[in-house]
Amino acid sequence: MHATLLAPETPPLVLDPTVNAPALARRFLAERFREWGIEDDSDGRLVVSELVTNALLHGAGQIVVRVYRDESDGIPVIEVWDQGDGAPVVRPESDTQLNGRGLLTVEGIALKWGTRPITEGGKIVWARVAS
């Protein structure tokens, strides 16, 4: 039997719902990946940017970002929390729409993604990304 070394718990990033939130979330994720020795963070940065943008546009209140490695397999997990009640919706691909492709992008990049409600109200949208 071998021991598994896990990264120490990193406090979440709490963001005000402003246009700067996605950039701050990308920087936060890039720092975590760098600490873990993950050189290619492009999928993670894109996913966190899309999830935070979705929370900014369709959620409510502050946005909380948490990035950690799954204890069972070491795969990075991104969680984005907001206080909005609405569930994320993947819209069909459209050549005429200027926006609305964020979750479609997440669905195409993430290994797996989903949502879960928060007891106090709101939701967490999570995604597992390749490292």
Side-chain angles (χ1 to χ4, degrees), residues 48-79:
V48 79
S49 186
E50 293 297 344
L51 295 181
V52 169
T53 298
N54 206 43
L56 176 65
L57 296 175
H58 306 290
Q62 290 185 307
I63 300 165
V64 179
V65 178
R66 192 176 115 165
V67 180
Y68 63 93
R69 293 183 93 162
D70 187 309
E71 292 180 14
S72 66
D73 56 17
I75 292 177
V77 178
I78 301 163
E79 292 183 340

Side-chain angles (χ1 to χ4, degrees), residues 31-102:
E31 290 170 3
R32 299 298 76 74
F33 275 39
R34 189 171 32 256
E35 288 171 4
W36 299 331
I38 299 172
E39 292 182 24
D40 185 0
D41 64 2
S42 58
D43 285 352
R45 282 185 294 117
L46 181 55
V47 167
V48 79
S49 186
E50 293 297 344
L51 295 181
V52 169
T53 298
N54 206 43
L56 176 65
L57 296 175
H58 306 290
Q62 290 185 307
I63 300 165
V64 179
V65 178
R66 192 176 115 165
V67 180
Y68 63 93
R69 293 183 93 162
D70 187 309
E71 292 180 14
S72 66
D73 56 17
I75 292 177
V77 178
I78 301 163
E79 292 183 340
V80 176
W81 315 352
D82 74 73
Q83 297 163 353
D85 291 327
V89 176
V90 178
R91 295 182 187 167
E93 192 170 346
S94 170
D95 293 335
T96 60
Q97 296 295 319
L98 298 177
N99 56 24
R101 293 182 183 87

